[in-house]
Amino acid sequence: LRSSDFFEVESYSEAKFIFISKSFDKLSNQISFLGDLTIKDITNPISFNATLLETSPFLKAKAVLSFDRSKYNVRFRSGNFFENLGDKLILDDIDVNIRLVTKK
């Protein structure tokens, strides 16, 4: 995934997520986040839900951040860019397990 076929880590060593808004649902213990995900200098809006794990001494939550790699120009064996890939197709959706922890 580090290669130029995917995320070009040599040229784009960092990805970032900027939080725009959040909301908390006490009933489901879920925090909803909205923000901008930047990969390979391409930014797209994204939203995800996190499950609150604890609040003391720090807020901790876990989530799965899902995004479509083709929106960030990661084309290798993508059905959005190439036809008739058959069993060579690599799905465009990527899931990243994350753990959020606040700082003091």
Side-chain angles (χ1 to χ4, degrees), residues 20 41-42 52 59 69 74 81 87 90 101:
I20 294 172
D41 290 338
I42 300 168
L52 184 62
L59 182 135
R69 68 183 175 100
V74 179
F81 295 101
D87 64 349
I90 298 174
V101 180

Side-chain angles (χ1 to χ4, degrees), residues 14-80:
E14 190 174 284
K16 66 181 176 180
F17 181 82
I18 296 177
F19 292 93
I20 294 172
S21 68
K22 66 170 175 44
S23 62
F24 180 63
D25 181 342
K26 288 183 183 182
L27 187 61
S28 67
N29 204 38
Q30 295 283 302
I31 307 168
S32 296
F33 292 101
L34 174 64
D36 288 326
L37 178 62
T38 302
I39 299 173
K40 294 174 63 173
D41 290 338
I42 300 168
T43 302
N44 288 289
I46 193 167
S47 61
F48 66 95
N49 292 326
T51 302
L52 184 62
L53 300 174
E54 61 185 83
T55 58
S56 181
F58 305 104
L59 182 135
K60 294 181 183 176
K62 68 176 183 175
V64 176
L65 178 68
S66 297
F67 64 93
D68 179 346
R69 68 183 175 100
S70 68
K71 291 183 177 181
Y72 300 93
N73 203 27
V74 179
R75 298 177 175 215
F76 188 76
R77 295 188 185 171
S78 168
N80 285 334

